Amino acid sequence: MSSTHQKIQSIRIVSTFFGLWISAYLLGGFENYVAFFLIFSLGILHGSNDITLIKRAYGSENLTFFKVLTSYIMLIGLGTALFFLVPMLALIIFIVFSAYHFGEQHFHFLQVKNTISAYLFYFGYGLFVITLILYLNASDALRIINQMIGVVVVLDVLRWTLLASAILTLVTGTMVYIKQKFNVFLELFYLLLFSVVFFIASLIWSFTLYFILWHSLPSLADQVEFLYKEVTKETIVRYIRASFIYWLLSVVGFFVLVQFFKDNPTVMLSFFFSFLAAITFPHVLVMHKILKH
Ligand SMILES: CC1=C(/C=C/C(C)=C/C=C/C(C)=C/C=O)C(C)(C)CCC1
């Protein structure tokens, strides 16, 4: 593990405990502001440099900036249209993509990469974590999901998904472990920590702590390393400069669109997750290309 990732590992464990402590002391409303601030800063930032990453990952010979931008916008458009036309299918695809993406980032240190068992392991693990967040905050989660897809999803769906993803993770994790040993106790400790956090914290705060500390931070470090070979103050500043315009566009875009929904908090939250979903689709594909190597 590189020294950057070791540092991030310590930062995220300490910050998770701090986040847990905060959730006991901050008032709900203020906690939500901090959560959205973190999602709109670090969370969106970690997906803002995708266009540079695609060009680098595919080699820039045949790919013009215009071609990449057009396919990127088309994918986001497709994602948005899907949420309008067939919301339930869109949500399922989004969760499948997100689950794989979270698991792939979490286990990016494994050398066992392009095998079916590794793919299923990433997917199973990510799905387990996402469902754990939803299950331990079920009333809020189900309200938002119902609002997003217009169908009543019951607690049993979460319960069975949790069980199925746990079994999938266990079976495929064993297959991966046979090929490459990893620290199972540390992974179990993380899962225990997540369960305590998700149980105590609210839905938005639980999602934020996982998304920012356990996903976006290590992903940012990987991307900076991929683009500039090392993570230093200078390369971080270069990364921020290169992604700033995309970051600004998505944040401004979100705040313009959200004006239509500002009178109803639940509709606003479901719009927020649909927006996150639409910009997530191309990001997952780009990161898969990078983490594969
Ligand atoms: C928390 C939560 C949800 C799941 C969000 C997910 C899965 C987000 C994934 C984001 C990604 C992968 C971002 C890019 O890196 C739902 C089911 C939408 C609605 C209820 C609350």
Side-chain angles (χ1 to χ4, degrees):
M1 196 189 276
S2 71
S3 71
T4 313
H5 280 99
Q6 250 159 9
K7 258 188 231 156
I8 288 185
Q9 185 159 352
S10 324
I11 292 175
R12 62 188 185 178
I13 294 177
V14 174
S15 311
T16 305
F17 278 110
F18 182 63
L20 194 60
W21 179 77
I22 278 188
S23 83
Y25 284 92
L26 280 190
L27 292 174
F30 190 63
E31 185 181 279
N32 284 348
Y33 281 118
V34 179
F36 284 115
F37 173 75
L38 289 172
I39 293 175
F40 279 108
S41 53
L42 287 172
I44 300 286
L45 183 73
H46 103 280
S48 297
N49 229 349
D50 285 357
I51 295 191
T52 321
L53 291 166
I54 302 176
K55 289 196 69 181
R56 185 67 67 83
Y58 284 89
S60 32
E61 310 86 49
N62 317 320
L63 287 178
T64 61
F65 172 77
F66 183 71
K67 258 192 201 165
V68 179
L69 189 67
T70 330
S71 11
Y72 201 83
I73 292 177
M74 270 165 64
L75 254 178
I76 294 183
L78 196 75
T80 314
L82 218 59
F83 264 98
F84 267 101
L85 300 172
V86 261
M88 182 140 97
L89 180 68
L91 183 67
I92 293 174
I93 299 177
F94 170 54
I95 290 191
V96 170
F97 265 60
S98 302
Y100 177 82
H101 181 57
F102 282 166
E104 185 178 47
Q105 180 62 53
H106 187 89
F107 286 103
H108 78 297
F109 59 84
L110 289 175
Q111 303 302 320
V112 186
K113 285 188 193 291
N114 306 321
T115 60
I116 303 277
S117 51
Y119 288 153
L120 287 175
F121 179 46
Y122 300 154
F123 169 68
Y125 181 85
L127 187 62
F128 182 73
V129 171
I130 293 173
T131 319
L132 201 61
I133 298 178
L134 303 181
Y135 181 70
L136 294 177
N137 295 283
S139 66
D140 282 341
L142 292 175
R143 195 164 36 84
I144 298 173
I145 292 174
N146 295 346
Q147 175 71 48
M148 280 173 88
I149 63 176
V151 170
V152 177
V153 175
V154 291
L155 189 62
D156 266 349
V157 174
L158 296 182
R159 216 173 260 146
W160 285 107
T161 313
L162 198 62
L163 183 67
S165 58
I167 295 173
L168 182 64
T169 309
L170 212 62
V171 173
T172 51
T174 313
M175 287 158 79
V176 170
Y177 185 83
I178 292 170
K179 289 187 199 133
Q180 186 190 344
K181 307 278 174 281
F182 55 88
N183 193 337
V184 178
F185 288 108
L186 186 65
E187 293 307 329
L188 289 175
F189 164 72
Y190 288 161
L191 286 176
L192 185 70
L193 178 61
F194 295 161
S195 311
V196 174
V197 172
F198 301 162
F199 181 72
I200 294 178
S202 67
L203 172 70
I204 298 300
W205 194 237
S206 303
F207 172 71
T208 305
L209 288 180
Y210 184 79
F211 181 51
I212 299 300
L213 299 175
W214 293 84
H215 178 74
S216 300
L217 270 188
S219 172
L220 275 167
D222 282 344
Q223 295 177 35
V224 172
E225 212 165 78
F226 176 79
L227 287 171
Y228 310 115
K229 305 281 173 289
E230 52 178 353
V231 184
T232 61
K233 266 191 202 120
E234 286 73 35
T235 55
I236 295 175
V237 171
R238 277 176 75 185
Y239 180 94
I240 296 177
R241 269 207 201 127
S243 46
F244 182 72
I245 184 71
Y246 303 106
W247 174 83
L248 192 68
L249 272 176
S250 36
V251 173
V252 170
F254 174 81
F255 281 101
V256 168
L257 290 173
V258 89
Q259 297 308 314
F260 295 106
F261 310 103
K262 66 171 187 260
D263 297 331
N264 185 333
T266 309
V267 179
M268 198 152 106
L269 264 183
S270 55
F271 166 71
F272 166 75
F273 281 112
S274 312
F275 176 85
L276 198 61
I279 58 175
T280 294
F281 286 125
H283 172 69
V284 173
L285 297 175
V286 174
M287 288 312 291
H288 172 63
K289 177 80 184 164
I290 290 171
L291 292 174
K292 227 164 88 174
H293 298 294

